[in-house]
Amino acid sequence: MIRHRIPAALAIAAVAAWAMSMPAQATGISQTLPDGYTMYALPCDDLANAPAALYRVDPATASLERVGPDYEGMWDYQCWSSGIYVPEDGLIWAVDTNAYTNDNGGTMLLRSIDPETGVVTPGPRIYDDADNSYFPFYTIFKGPDGLIYATGGRGSSSGANSIYRLDLSTGAATFISNTRLNGNLVNNWYLVGTNPVDGLVYGSPMSGEWYTIDIATGALTAVTEAGRSPLQAVVFDETGAAWTVSYSYPAGSFLNSGTFPAYADTRTTTADAFNADGQAIGVAGLVLVPDPEPTPEPTPSDSSSPSPSTGSAALDGSSSLAATGADSNLSGLLAFGAIALGGLSIWLRRRGETR
């Protein structure tokens, strides 16, 4: 059974109402992922159904390929926040949202995941650096300024209306603003991301509409009307295309993509269900990771290079120069000797003639 990070009754009611009002989705992703990137998925599902913490995504079909070992969670299921890739350490960072319910002091834990091996490394607990208190965080994202932010709130997921700047090394969260529309708080930010093309931060709460978010003030500007499909995660590629995870009750999670923001407004994109070997899998986050730089081909040996018999000192040319100098000196001595011998021979012959 797929588990979500929102109250079950609210999730089922909202998703079911939307699903009944929506036409059936066609299959096949029309958007193409730019070359040089690999898409990864962070699951939200039973461990029996999705045992690994990280999956490689085929964007054309939404099929998943597990990366690395089984995830040894505290419970029989796992549910991650949306994740980010940090090029400085080459790791994917995400929030283990299930950690809030165990005995770690009532907070959620940051964890890093190696995209090459799928190995999960525990990180620090997230806490409010103003009073050292702990409370839930559900989404982390990178802002237009390159800094890392998180959405969260005290008490429960319904209070997730605050934006914090997040220090991955310590878990310290610094309060920045509350998300408000016309002065009213807007909650449930599970989906936030920065579009690299226009430099704006976009978000969508569980009610389905899209907003631009001013991180500094929390002010929201509506992009679409309410009543759009509830979404779980978004990642923008370098062309500005939005890749999102949506729910289709009761089938599971779907991969969607399209040009933004027209995609969010028209919902004309097609979608495919996330699956591994045909088994539907719930997905909570998407991450794009640049492919590793190719290893340079070895340079072929130059035919003029010194032979191994010249020794390592010949690599800098010193021995060759020394040998060249020695040969020149020897040639000079031989030439001088020949001239001297020739002169002596002439002198001896003339002396004999005078006698």
Side-chain angles (χ1 to χ4, degrees):
M1 179 180 68
I2 298 174
R3 307 193 184 229
H4 309 304
R5 294 169 291 153
I6 57 175
L10 175 62
I12 293 174
V15 174
W18 166 77
M20 289 186 292
S21 66
M22 293 289 290
Q25 291 177 305
T27 59
I29 296 298
S30 58
Q31 196 73 29
T32 301
L33 188 68
D35 292 338
Y37 290 87
T38 298
M39 180 182 292
Y40 292 89
L42 298 164
C44 184
D45 209 329
D46 293 335
L47 288 176
N49 195 43
L54 190 66
Y55 289 81
R56 193 176 292 110
V57 182
D58 179 353
T61 63
S63 61
L64 302 178
E65 176 189 3
R66 64 174 293 168
V67 180
D70 288 356
Y71 174 60
E72 297 180 0
M74 299 292 293
W75 306 94
D76 61 353
Y77 63 95
Q78 60 176 322
C79 203
W80 298 87
S81 72
S82 58
I84 59 171
Y85 173 72
V86 179
E88 287 77 11
D89 58 20
L91 300 174
I92 293 171
W93 286 81
V95 178
D96 184 351
T97 63
N98 284 344
Y100 183 74
T101 57
N102 64 33
D103 60 354
N104 64 9
T107 185
M108 294 176 175
L109 296 178
L110 281 167
R111 300 190 191 275
S112 63
I113 308 174
D114 188 325
E116 293 295 319
T117 65
V119 172
V120 178
T121 301
R125 293 192 295 176
I126 305 175
Y127 68 95
D128 188 332
D129 64 359
D131 57 9
N132 293 325
S133 61
Y134 299 97
F135 52 90
F137 286 86
Y138 295 95
T139 298
I140 61 175
F141 65 97
K142 188 173 291 186
D145 53 9
L147 300 177
I148 297 169
Y149 296 88
T151 62
R154 301 174 186 276
S156 68
S157 62
S158 62
N161 55 41
S162 302
I163 299 176
Y164 292 79
R165 187 171 63 248
L166 184 61
D167 186 333
L168 295 179
S169 63
T170 64
T174 304
F175 175 78
I176 303 297
S177 62
N178 291 115
T179 51
R180 295 179 182 272
L181 180 66
N182 300 325
N184 299 315
L185 289 173
V186 178
N187 300 325
N188 294 323
W189 294 99
Y190 293 112
L191 178 155
V192 182
T194 299
N195 187 333
V197 173
D198 59 20
L200 298 177
V201 178
Y202 291 88
S204 180
M206 281 304 298
S207 50
E209 63 269 35
W210 284 85
Y211 298 95
T212 59
I213 305 173
D214 185 324
I215 294 177
T217 65
L220 304 176
T221 301
V223 176
T224 66
E225 299 176 357
R228 298 303 192 250
S229 59
L231 299 170
Q232 179 73 9
V234 64
V235 63
F236 291 91
D237 66 32
E238 62 183 15
T239 71
W243 298 81
T244 65
V245 177
S246 66
Y247 291 127
S248 181
Y249 181 81
S253 300
F254 282 76
L255 175 65
N256 305 263
S257 72
T259 304
F260 198 85
Y263 146 72
D265 191 42
T266 62
R267 298 171 295 166
T268 57
T269 183
T270 55
D272 271 322
F274 287 103
N275 68 93
D277 298 325
Q279 175 65 49
I281 289 180
V283 170
L286 295 175
V287 185
L288 293 182
V289 176
D291 295 336
E293 293 291 334
T295 303
E297 293 291 334
T299 304
S301 299
D302 194 301
S303 59
S304 61
S305 299
S307 63
S309 61
T310 59
S312 60
L315 294 177
D316 61 4
S318 58
S319 296
S320 298
L321 291 174
T324 301
D327 290 343
S328 299
N329 292 336
L330 179 58
S331 299
L333 288 173
L334 291 174
F336 177 81
I339 294 173
L341 288 174
L344 178 60
S345 175
I346 294 172
W347 180 78
L348 289 174
R349 186 170 60 253
R350 289 179 177 177
R351 182 174 181 180
E353 291 173 352
T354 58
R355 289 184 178 180

